[in-house]
Amino acid sequence: MSELFDAVDALVASRSSLPSAEERKRLRVAHGLTLDEVAAALKVRRATVSGWESAKKPTEPRGPEREAYARLLRQLAELYPADAVVPAQDTAAPAQATATAAPGPTGSRTLPADPAPAAADMAATEYARTSPAPDASAVAAASRPARTTRPSSTPSRRPGAKKGAPAGTPAAVTDPRFENGPLAVVDVEGGQALAYCTGGLVLDVPAKSIPALVDWTLKEAKLGQPKLSGPGKDADPLLVLTEAALKRYGLPATLTEEERLAGRLPDSHKVIRQLARAEWKLTKRGFGPWARIYRPATGSERACVQLCIPSWNALDTRHWAEAGQLPPAELARVLGVYASRVMTPRGSTAVTGLELMTALHPPTRASEPDAKGKRHSEHNPGSLGKDPVDCAPCEAPDGHPLLKDLPRFHIRGPAEKLFEEAYDWARPMTDDECTLRHLVGIDVNMAFAAGANGLPVGLGAPTHVTNPVFDPKLPGSWLVDLSHVDLSKVKAGKEWVELDGTLLPSPFTPKGERPEGPAWYATPTVAYAVELGYEVHPVEAYVRYDNGRYLDGWYNRLRDAYLATMADLGVGADLAPADFLAAMDGYRSRDPELAIVVSAIKATVKGGLGKLRERPRGEGWRPGEPWRALSRPTWRPDIRAAVISRTRVNLHRKIVKHAAFTGQYPVAILSDCVVYAAGGTSPLDFLPYRDGKPLPGGFRLGINPGLVKHEGTQSVLWGEEVRERFDAPELNLARYIKDGTVTDVDNGE
């Protein structure tokens, strides 16, 4: 009989009455709950809860979720009746929050739209729908950490963060020091300075000067980010100043041309004098688009705040698109997602990429206690250390102090200079290729990040050896003659294959030209010559016996950030080829703000690697003199060369596999983009998928780093026409395949 009663109860519960979609959303927002929090408590997907609240075409919950959802809404309706008047003065937090949260010295408020949550792990929202339904108290327990909140006192305030943080965002910071997130966007509305934080929180800012703003940030704002590695340091809080905030604090909305070229305000500026009087200091780069304001550390306590000023071009539009023009809440969301998945920005994406390497492998750590119980700073194994090391002469870029004795205007050749760069190669199309209708470009996802994955690199100074035996596991630079490698007959895997070598670029030079004699190469390039079936006999080398997989953690964090953000944009990692191509079509328009984060993540990869060989940046530098970047332990041109070398040979390996199996050869290659002639417009028209499975070792469609996506398609007639128009039979069509726009003759720059 009890089973019958249970069945009847379940039947009644499955028809529980629910309010309208608009009322459901009102109740959730009134209690400060996010879609993710409700979804996690009810063990459904975020999109499911969003569908229940859809004003246009709401879906209806079923089964046990319906009764639990109805119970939640009933309890919220008791707390927030529809006809209740919200008082103008500060109100207490919900009952379960006020027991543990007392009002602080800084007023705060939450935005009245769906704020970005302290997102749970993605797996938490994937529980089976048949799990036992929770009660409303479980939902309350999943809400954000308790804090004193109040509704906006300005009725016309923008709705703020309309979209929640993506479901793949790392879990919320539990460190009470940083409970308001890593950063805030400071704006002024109605004469009141406001700090828009991640999660939709808005803080009242009482500070009326930059020194007071720094003090408030460090003492009251509770901004920052925990360290990424045990021996590392917590990230300093970041404040982003809007133009209105600049005006309030006595700073110009834009820099003059002279200030822009200098990259900073003059030291005589009144705000800099204010900071000096308050005993705050600026780093050597001064008060510029990315300013760091600090006092010398006392013990383990740091006192440092970083400023980001978008109207001074802090957020480069090449990498951050129009992020600098976003309203404060939306900008806080973009930078907050980036900070949670990568790290709090420390400057440009290039600077942040380099800083991420150091944050994951700090140069020093605390030693074990000595006889007196004291700990000391010691070298952190696996890091680059705290002192710079000299590169090998062949690895030094032109103008380096190691080359100061070279004759003036001397041009170093391949036997004097390591030249590992990305591909820039093209060839005329064959008659058979001209009979096809389309040129299809494919692009390797996060190619340089994939090249860094698992790569052994040197950690210390190089050792010079003569007539060495090549060791593919030993990082270094090798002087060796690879001109004997014949691409018409190579090993692809364990089998020898015959190819048309005239249609393939050489894997040993960026321009795809066959080497003519001894030249310097990084270890991955020489190892690939051996893999192709040829012996190598280096003449000399600079090797690094102290080595390790320094970039693995860096790769893993950036990969996870990229995949999580693409998943939020509807592009999953396990899609079938056709589904993947469909998901990639227009993915940026699904959430333009997250699309900005994707661009910034990719720029962090390339920029961080580029910073490993940063060149002089003005400052009166002359050839033969040291420049500022050389003083960093992270100035390592050998690591950059090794990553580029491995990325290039990874691409060539796939090209060889593809040619051996299909007889198809690339028409053009630019960095990580390859163009093939094909009979159709899709990569599936030339990639050899069988039963949905790709060619082993060849190109594979997918979003993971190292896999490929569709870059663009143009007609063969287009390709022939632009080459004829510019009288350039080897114009690199990969440069223009995306949109077909060719503005000038390709000069390789």
Side-chain angles (χ1 to χ4, degrees), residues 655-689:
I655 290 170
V656 167
K657 288 272 190 179
H658 186 85
F661 188 79
T662 67
Q664 299 169 334
Y665 295 84
V667 172
I669 310 173
L670 183 68
S671 188
D672 47 10
C673 176
V674 188
V675 175
Y676 283 90
T681 60
S682 167
L684 290 175
D685 290 314
F686 70 92
L687 293 183
Y689 273 83

Side-chain angles (χ1 to χ4, degrees), residues 251-465:
L251 293 166
T254 58
L255 298 178
T256 65
E257 183 64 15
E258 182 180 357
E259 292 166 348
R260 187 187 64 80
L261 293 174
R264 58 197 292 173
L265 292 176
D267 292 341
S268 59
H269 194 278
K270 63 178 182 180
V271 169
I272 297 179
R273 296 201 304 268
Q274 289 174 0
L275 289 168
R277 286 196 298 270
E279 299 183 341
W280 288 106
K281 297 180 180 294
L282 293 165
T283 57
K284 290 182 179 179
R285 61 183 175 186
F287 204 120
W290 291 92
R292 299 187 69 79
I293 304 172
Y294 73 99
R295 286 187 180 129
T298 55
S300 61
E301 293 297 322
R302 288 167 58 83
C304 183
V305 172
Q306 179 160 299
L307 303 183
C308 167
I309 306 177
S311 65
W312 295 5
N313 297 319
L315 300 175
D316 192 324
T317 54
R318 293 172 298 175
H319 310 140
W320 289 102
E322 302 304 318
Q325 305 300 318
L326 291 174
E330 281 80 353
L331 180 55
R333 177 183 184 242
V334 168
L335 295 177
V337 173
Y338 179 89
S340 65
R341 292 180 173 174
V342 180
M343 69 180 298
T344 302
R346 297 288 301 274
S348 66
T349 50
V351 169
T352 304
L354 196 70
E355 291 287 344
L356 180 61
M357 297 179 194
T358 303
L360 294 169
H361 286 288
T364 60
R365 67 177 185 183
S367 68
E368 293 297 323
D370 60 16
K372 296 182 180 180
K374 292 185 177 181
R375 297 179 183 269
H376 306 277
S377 176
E378 66 177 14
H379 175 74
N380 183 27
S383 75
L384 299 182
K386 59 184 180 63
D387 299 314
V389 296
D390 283 335
C391 61
C394 63
E395 298 163 351
D398 295 337
H400 192 279
L402 288 175
L403 310 175
K404 63 182 179 180
D405 294 330
L406 287 178
R408 192 178 183 188
F409 303 123
H410 175 75
I411 299 177
R412 294 185 293 163
E416 298 173 277
K417 179 181 179 180
L418 176 69
F419 192 65
E420 295 283 12
E421 298 294 340
Y423 267 129
D424 185 356
W425 170 88
R427 62 170 176 82
M429 283 185 275
T430 66
D431 291 342
D432 287 343
E433 288 167 340
C434 287
T435 65
L436 300 173
R437 298 184 62 183
H438 301 284
L439 294 172
V440 182
I442 53 177
D443 179 81
V444 181
N445 297 311
M446 299 271 284
F448 295 98
N453 183 29
L455 177 67
V457 299
L459 301 177
T463 300
H464 183 239
V465 292

Side-chain angles (χ1 to χ4, degrees), residues 43-120:
K43 298 186 172 74
V44 296
R45 297 175 62 87
R46 181 182 189 275
T48 301
V49 181
S50 179
W52 296 344
E53 296 181 358
S54 174
K56 293 183 178 180
K57 192 177 181 181
T59 58
E60 292 297 317
R62 298 179 180 178
E65 293 88 359
R66 185 181 183 93
E67 173 61 11
Y69 189 45
R71 183 174 181 180
L72 166 66
L73 295 175
R74 284 195 298 271
Q75 294 196 22
L76 293 180
E78 293 176 3
L79 293 172
Y80 310 100
D83 56 351
V85 178
V86 179
Q89 70 275 13
D90 289 1
T91 58
Q96 67 272 21
T98 55
T100 57
T106 302
S108 63
R109 63 191 83 185
T110 50
L111 295 172
D114 181 16

Side-chain angles (χ1 to χ4, degrees), residues 77-276:
E78 293 176 3
L79 293 172
Y80 310 100
D83 56 351
V85 178
V86 179
Q89 70 275 13
D90 289 1
T91 58
Q96 67 272 21
T98 55
T100 57
T106 302
S108 63
R109 63 191 83 185
T110 50
L111 295 172
D114 181 16
D121 187 88
M122 281 190 292
T125 64
E126 297 294 339
Y127 292 140
R129 289 185 161 212
T130 56
S131 300
D135 60 20
S137 61
V139 179
S143 63
R144 70 172 53 82
R147 56 177 68 138
T148 302
T149 62
R150 66 183 182 187
S152 170
S153 58
T154 307
S156 62
R157 183 180 310 287
R158 288 185 294 268
K162 297 179 181 178
K163 302 165 187 170
T169 307
V173 174
T174 56
D175 192 324
R177 297 174 300 161
F178 312 131
E179 70 175 36
N180 292 333
L183 54 89
V185 179
V186 180
D187 192 29
V188 177
E189 295 183 16
Q192 172 64 51
L194 303 171
Y196 289 78
C197 306
T198 57
L201 179 71
V202 182
L203 303 176
D204 292 325
V205 181
K208 299 216 165 73
S209 68
I210 288 293
L213 180 64
V214 174
D215 278 324
W216 171 82
T217 303
L218 293 172
K219 294 177 181 178
E220 300 182 42
K222 295 186 178 181
L223 297 173
Q225 190 175 38
K227 57 191 176 183
L228 298 180
S229 175
K233 299 175 181 177
D234 297 327
D236 298 318
L238 172 65
L239 296 181
V240 185
L241 303 183
T242 66
E243 291 190 32
L246 293 176
K247 182 178 180 180
R248 177 185 181 88
Y249 294 116
L251 293 166
T254 58
L255 298 178
T256 65
E257 183 64 15
E258 182 180 357
E259 292 166 348
R260 187 187 64 80
L261 293 174
R264 58 197 292 173
L265 292 176
D267 292 341
S268 59
H269 194 278
K270 63 178 182 180
V271 169
I272 297 179
R273 296 201 304 268
Q274 289 174 0
L275 289 168

Side-chain angles (χ1 to χ4, degrees), residues 456-665:
V457 299
L459 301 177
T463 300
H464 183 239
V465 292
T466 56
N467 297 317
V469 175
F470 176 68
D471 182 352
K473 297 181 180 179
L474 187 59
S477 300
W478 309 78
L479 181 61
V480 58
D481 188 351
L482 300 180
S483 61
H484 62 293
V485 177
D486 183 4
L487 294 181
S488 63
K489 187 177 182 181
V490 298
K491 271 189 174 180
K494 296 182 179 179
E495 298 181 358
W496 285 92
V497 296
E498 294 186 0
L499 304 170
D500 187 342
T502 64
L503 301 181
L504 285 171
S506 167
F508 310 128
T509 61
K511 291 290 185 181
E513 303 161 343
R514 187 167 179 170
E516 297 180 352
W520 286 99
Y521 303 102
T523 297
T525 301
V526 185
Y528 186 57
V530 176
E531 181 184 326
L532 291 175
Y534 292 84
E535 293 184 356
V536 296
H537 302 285
V539 177
E540 61 177 308
Y542 288 90
V543 297
R544 289 171 170 81
Y545 295 110
D546 179 15
N547 58 73
R549 292 166 58 161
Y550 174 73
L551 295 173
D552 274 11
W554 183 81
Y555 161 78
N556 288 333
R557 187 158 181 89
L558 289 165
R559 174 205 61 198
D560 292 348
Y562 177 69
L563 292 180
T565 311
M566 289 303 296
D568 293 327
L569 288 165
V571 186
D574 299 316
L575 296 174
D579 294 336
F580 168 71
L581 292 174
M584 286 295 294
D585 187 19
Y587 76 91
R588 290 183 173 275
S589 62
R590 293 174 201 144
D591 190 332
E593 292 169 16
L594 287 186
I596 293 174
V597 177
V598 170
S599 297
I601 292 170
K602 292 193 289 188
T604 303
V605 172
K606 290 187 177 181
L609 293 172
K611 277 283 185 180
L612 291 169
R613 200 192 66 163
E614 184 178 357
R615 302 302 306 277
R617 304 177 65 183
E619 301 177 343
W621 174 82
R622 294 181 179 180
E625 296 178 350
W627 58 92
R628 184 184 299 180
L630 299 187
S631 63
R632 296 193 323 248
T634 50
W635 192 84
R636 293 295 300 273
D638 57 298
I639 296 179
R640 173 186 177 273
V643 173
I644 294 176
S645 163
R646 192 165 188 242
T647 302
R648 194 180 65 246
V649 300
N650 281 350
L651 183 60
H652 196 275
R653 184 182 294 112
K654 289 180 171 63
I655 290 170
V656 167
K657 288 272 190 179
H658 186 85
F661 188 79
T662 67
Q664 299 169 334
Y665 295 84

